[in-house]
Amino acid sequence: MQADAELALKLFGPLGLRLSPQALLRPHLASLFAGFLPLPHLLPLWEALLAAPDRNAFLVDTCVAMLTAPALRYPLMLAESPARAALLVELPPALHSNDLLLSAARLAQRL
């Protein structure tokens, strides 16, 4: 995760929590974020996904944007166990789809 090396080391590094990115994000990707965002915020995200020329890159950018959002990043950095980090990602704080989409767009331009 080039977007936030410190968070990547905390979550996935050998001295961190050693989480699997696939296991951590599987619930969100399998449901296309349906369990993560309320319907009014979910529809714009789905519209952007369907309009994206590279849907795989869009999903990766959206997942990175979700993990690096301050409302989720700071609690993840304080997580002391893999179970706590997984719970934070499974039941994240409320985020607005516009914030996720803007962050994902910035990531796509930067990476």
Side-chain angles (χ1 to χ4, degrees):
M1 185 186 312
Q2 293 176 341
D4 191 334
E6 184 181 17
L7 181 62
L9 285 173
K10 171 71 177 185
L11 295 178
F12 312 120
L15 299 176
L17 297 175
R18 294 181 165 178
L19 294 167
S20 160
Q22 296 83 0
L24 189 65
L25 296 170
R26 183 174 295 127
H28 300 298
L29 293 174
S31 68
L32 292 176
F33 301 93
F36 176 63
L37 294 170
L39 190 59
H41 299 278
L42 186 62
L43 295 178
L45 185 70
W46 284 352
E47 287 177 15
L49 171 63
L50 293 174
D54 184 351
R55 293 183 182 134
N56 288 332
F58 177 85
L59 287 172
V60 169
D61 292 339
T62 304
C63 287
V64 172
M66 177 187 73
L67 290 174
T68 58
L72 184 56
R73 182 192 187 278
Y74 298 125
L76 283 173
M77 290 300 293
L78 297 174
E80 295 178 0
S81 71
R84 175 70 178 144
L87 184 63
L88 284 167
V89 174
E90 187 177 325
L91 302 169
L95 294 175
H96 196 282
S97 61
N98 288 344
D99 297 335
L100 278 179
L101 291 171
L102 288 172
S103 294
R106 280 193 293 267
L107 285 167
Q109 290 174 351
R110 192 171 54 173
L111 300 179

